Amino acid sequence: MLGVVNFKDPLIEKSTAAHDGASVKTVTRDGGASKQNQGAPRPGSDTRIEQADTRTDQANARTKQADARTEQAEQRTNQANTRTDQAEARTKQADARTDEANARTDQAKSLTDQANNRTSQANTRTNEANALTVEANSRTDQANALTVEANTRTDQANTLTSEANTRTDQANTRTEQAEARSVQAILASEIRYRRLFETAQDGILILDAETAQVVDANPFMKDLLGYSQEEFLGKKLWEIGPFKGTGASKIAFAELQHADRIHYEGLPLETKDGRRVEVEFISNAYLVDQKRLIQCNIRNITERKRAEDEIRRLNETLEQSVAERTTQLQEANKELQAFSYSVSHDLRAPLRHVLGFVELLEKDAGPSLSEKNLRHLTTISEAAKRMGHLIDDLLAFSRLGRGELQKANVNLDELVRETLGDFPMETKGRSLAWDIQPLPMVRADRALLRMVLVNLISNAIKFTGARTKAKIEIGCAPKRNSKSDPTIFIRDNGAGFDPKYTDKLFGVFQRLHSHKEFEGTGIGLANVQRIIHRHGGRVWAEGIVDGGATFFFSIPT
């Protein structure tokens, strides 16, 4: 019984046929024929065997070409399956040739396995190629993405370039406008200069620095010297009427060759009509388009010279007057000193006599006098004592205007503590609160400044006498700015004063309170003002009736 072989691969590398002298059954290629004479050899069987051998040889040849045709393996595999089907049909017809066909079939199987292996390798290589293709496609996609990004950036760059070009165009437009404005400004400047040149109330000459020739002259030169513009143009300075033949013109021009500016004050010139004028002559050299020019400004100072001479004469007269007034003042001071001497000696003697005889009268006739007469004697004594105090204060006030200030650095904190030591009796037994703040260093006459503090503090103590809880504050007012002078204040909660009489506070013998209310001669604040004014400062006060008072004074640094 013949076995049926199912060929999987159409490629057969090699087939051998063993002929042992017996008749071999062959497989016909005609699938439609039926078996005939199966028991005995049929005519044409050898031919079919030869045809099978030929086909086997062809299969071997095709097998040898398999390596080169791996890419066509799938198509040929389909063809091999078709031929295998045909071989199965032929196998059924070749039962007698089973042995030989089986052998060849085994060989065909071996060759088919080899072909399958090669096909598998081809498939593997195809898969690898596909993988490489996928990777290549991925890289291509990445490259495309980068290209898109590059195109985007290129578009952005083009946009920026377009904007830059637009801005450049705008800048160019603005530059052109600026240049146009510059040209207009230059034209306007030239027009202004020309108007100034032509309307100037000083004579102006423009000279060529190399030739000394006049290249321009303003109209005022005719008013100043009587020569027209045409008489100046093209001529050298020393060839013109008022400057003609003067060596000073040549010297001045030579000097301008080395210096850019010369100045003459009171230069005498003669006008065309023979008048003599004194002028101020100023020359300046400058460059215009690489050409050196000299501008000469000529100003008529004749009237100024006359005024200066008149001022000089008046000054001499004034100096003489001052000398005479100084002599008179010195005489007046001598008389004032003599008067002060008379007051201090001649007036004191009668006062001493009055006080002495009042005391004698009180001792001798006191027991026999009535109370009314004793009161009269007491009034006379007190009036004489007040007269003595007034004389002392008046002499002190007059002495403040004489003598030189002995300025030094003064520690106000220390000076205030020292001054407060002068009032133990006045403050004894009183409820008096002191608020003394830190004070600055000042430069002043220490003795005179102490007198200021004595007067102001004594006033504060005196005018708070009626207060059960008196308070006196001494401090430094805040500065308005860094250049302000230090301002010291002394504030109390005493009797105060009416603000409308503030201007009378610092006058000699000016009192806003009666002698019965508060003792005093009315010279203390006048002394304060005189001392502060001698230091170059100022003094002022603020107050309200029965609401206290504040006195301020400043000391220049």
Side-chain angles (χ1 to χ4, degrees):
M1 186 170 180
L2 295 176
V4 179
V5 180
N6 194 6
F7 291 98
K8 294 182 180 180
D9 196 318
L11 302 178
I12 301 173
E13 292 182 352
K14 188 177 180 182
S15 176
T16 57
H19 298 279
D20 52 3
S23 61
V24 180
K25 297 180 180 179
T26 61
V27 180
T28 63
R29 300 183 67 86
D30 188 0
S34 61
K35 296 180 184 179
Q36 295 178 359
N37 301 319
Q38 293 181 3
R42 293 175 295 171
S45 60
D46 291 336
T47 302
R48 289 173 184 158
I49 291 172
E50 290 175 0
Q51 290 176 352
D53 291 338
T54 301
R55 291 191 185 104
T56 300
D57 293 336
Q58 291 175 354
N60 290 334
R62 291 187 186 117
T63 300
K64 293 178 181 179
Q65 297 174 1
D67 291 334
R69 298 175 181 174
T70 302
E71 295 178 359
Q72 302 173 358
E74 185 175 352
Q75 180 179 358
R76 291 174 181 169
T77 301
N78 292 331
Q79 295 174 358
N81 289 332
T82 302
R83 290 172 184 162
T84 301
D85 293 337
Q86 294 174 357
E88 287 178 354
R90 292 173 190 147
T91 302
K92 291 178 181 179
Q93 298 173 2
D95 292 335
R97 301 169 187 162
T98 299
D99 294 336
E100 184 180 354
N102 286 338
R104 291 175 181 170
T105 298
D106 292 337
Q107 292 175 357
K109 283 182 179 181
S110 177
L111 294 173
T112 299
D113 292 337
Q114 293 176 3
N116 288 333
N117 289 334
R118 290 173 182 169
T119 301
S120 179
Q121 293 174 358
N123 290 333
T124 301
R125 291 174 183 170
T126 300
N127 292 333
E128 292 176 352
N130 290 333
L132 293 173
T133 300
V134 171
E135 184 178 359
N137 290 333
S138 176
R139 292 179 180 174
T140 301
D141 293 339
Q142 293 176 356
N144 290 334
L146 294 174
T147 301
V148 170
E149 184 178 358
N151 291 333
T152 302
R153 291 179 180 173
T154 301
D155 293 338
Q156 293 174 351
N158 291 334
T159 302
L160 294 175
T161 302
S162 178
E163 292 177 356
N165 291 333
T166 302
R167 291 174 183 169
T168 302
D169 293 339
Q170 292 174 352
N172 291 334
T173 302
R174 290 173 185 167
T175 302
E176 292 173 358
Q177 292 174 352
E179 290 175 352
R181 289 173 188 163
S182 177
V183 171
Q184 293 175 357
I186 292 172
L187 292 175
S189 176
E190 290 179 354
I191 292 173
R192 286 195 298 269
Y193 171 77
R194 200 67 203 174
R195 288 178 181 171
L196 179 64
F197 180 79
E198 293 176 353
T199 60
Q201 296 304 299
D202 290 339
I204 301 175
L205 293 176
I206 307 297
L207 308 179
D208 189 318
E210 295 180 0
T211 64
Q213 290 179 333
V214 177
V215 297
D216 204 354
N218 73 332
F220 190 77
M221 289 299 297
K222 185 177 177 76
D223 297 335
L224 178 63
L225 300 175
Y227 293 90
S228 66
Q229 187 178 29
E230 291 74 15
E231 291 177 288
F232 283 103
L233 296 180
K235 295 181 181 179
K236 295 184 179 180
L237 186 63
W238 49 85
E239 295 175 349
I240 305 170
F243 305 98
K244 192 171 184 179
T246 61
S249 299
K250 293 183 179 180
I251 294 172
F253 184 76
E255 186 177 348
L256 274 171
Q257 299 298 315
H258 305 286
D260 289 336
R261 186 179 187 275
I262 60 173
H263 180 203
Y264 293 106
E265 180 80 18
L267 182 67
L269 295 178
E270 186 175 340
T271 64
K272 192 173 185 178
D273 57 4
R275 290 182 297 105
R276 176 186 171 87
V277 296
E278 290 191 59
V279 300
E280 180 183 20
F281 189 88
I282 302 174
S283 296
N284 294 280
Y286 58 94
L287 290 176
V288 177
D289 295 332
Q290 304 303 317
K291 184 176 181 62
R292 197 163 184 263
L293 299 176
I294 298 172
Q295 178 173 319
C296 302
N297 289 67
I298 304 168
R299 176 174 295 175
N300 188 352
I301 60 171
T302 305
E303 293 300 325
R304 192 180 79 187
K305 283 292 184 182
R306 289 175 185 169
E308 288 176 354
D309 293 339
E310 181 66 18
I311 291 172
R312 191 179 300 108
R313 186 184 64 78
L314 291 174
N315 284 338
E316 292 173 354
T317 304
L318 180 62
E319 289 175 0
Q320 184 178 358
S321 299
V322 168
E324 293 174 356
R325 296 289 177 86
T326 301
T327 303
Q328 294 173 0
L329 184 60
Q330 289 174 349
E331 293 295 329
N333 284 336
K334 290 180 181 179
E335 292 177 1
L336 181 62
Q337 290 176 2
F339 172 75
S340 299
Y341 181 81
S342 297
V343 168
S344 62
H345 292 82
D346 298 344
L347 292 182
R348 282 179 182 278
L351 285 176
R352 284 196 299 270
H353 290 163
V354 170
L355 289 172
F357 282 110
V358 167
E359 290 178 0
L360 289 175
L361 187 59
E362 286 178 345
K363 286 181 180 180
D364 295 340
S368 61
L369 295 175
S370 65
E371 292 183 1
K372 183 177 180 180
N373 290 331
L374 288 174
R375 285 198 303 273
H376 290 332
L377 288 177
T378 301
T379 301
I380 293 171
S381 177
E382 290 178 352
K385 289 179 181 178
R386 284 200 304 274
M387 183 65 179
H389 291 320
L390 283 172
I391 291 171
D392 292 338
D393 290 342
L394 187 61
L395 287 173
F397 182 75
S398 66
R399 282 194 296 267
L400 286 177
R402 303 193 302 270
E404 186 177 354
L405 295 178
Q406 304 296 322
K407 286 189 176 183
N409 292 329
V410 179
N411 187 331
L412 279 179
D413 290 327
E414 180 182 327
L415 188 60
V416 168
R417 286 194 299 270
E418 179 183 321
T419 304
L420 291 177
D422 293 350
F423 305 100
M425 298 301 297
E426 290 82 349
T427 58
K428 185 177 181 181
R430 289 185 54 184
S431 176
L432 182 57
W434 293 92
D435 181 6
I436 301 176
Q437 303 168 10
L439 300 174
M441 293 284 293
V442 295
R443 187 164 182 80
D445 187 309
R446 193 177 192 278
L448 294 180
L449 193 57
R450 189 179 191 279
M451 189 180 297
V452 169
L453 293 176
V454 168
N455 276 284
L456 295 178
I457 293 174
S458 65
N459 279 351
I461 294 174
K462 177 172 62 176
F463 287 102
T464 56
R467 294 286 186 263
T468 55
K469 292 184 179 180
K471 181 179 180 181
I472 298 175
E473 180 183 357
I474 303 175
C476 182
K479 286 188 175 184
R480 293 189 301 273
N481 53 62
S482 60
K483 295 183 179 180
S484 299
D485 295 325
T487 300
I488 312 303
F489 67 86
I490 298 177
R491 181 179 292 118
D492 64 70
N493 64 341
F497 59 87
D498 192 336
K500 66 181 180 181
Y501 298 120
T502 302
D503 56 337
K504 294 185 177 182
L505 281 174
F506 301 97
V508 179
F509 301 127
Q510 295 290 337
R511 291 175 52 83
L512 302 184
H513 302 276
S514 68
H515 188 270
K516 292 182 179 180
E517 290 180 294
F518 300 100
E519 294 182 354
T521 59
I523 295 181
L525 291 179
N527 284 338
V528 169
Q529 185 183 57
R530 197 166 192 182
I531 291 170
I532 297 301
H533 284 179
R534 287 198 66 191
H535 282 81
R538 67 189 190 98
V539 60
W540 68 99
E542 297 174 356
I544 188 170
V545 176
D546 203 33
T550 305
F551 286 83
F552 302 88
F553 67 90
S554 64
I555 301 293
T557 56

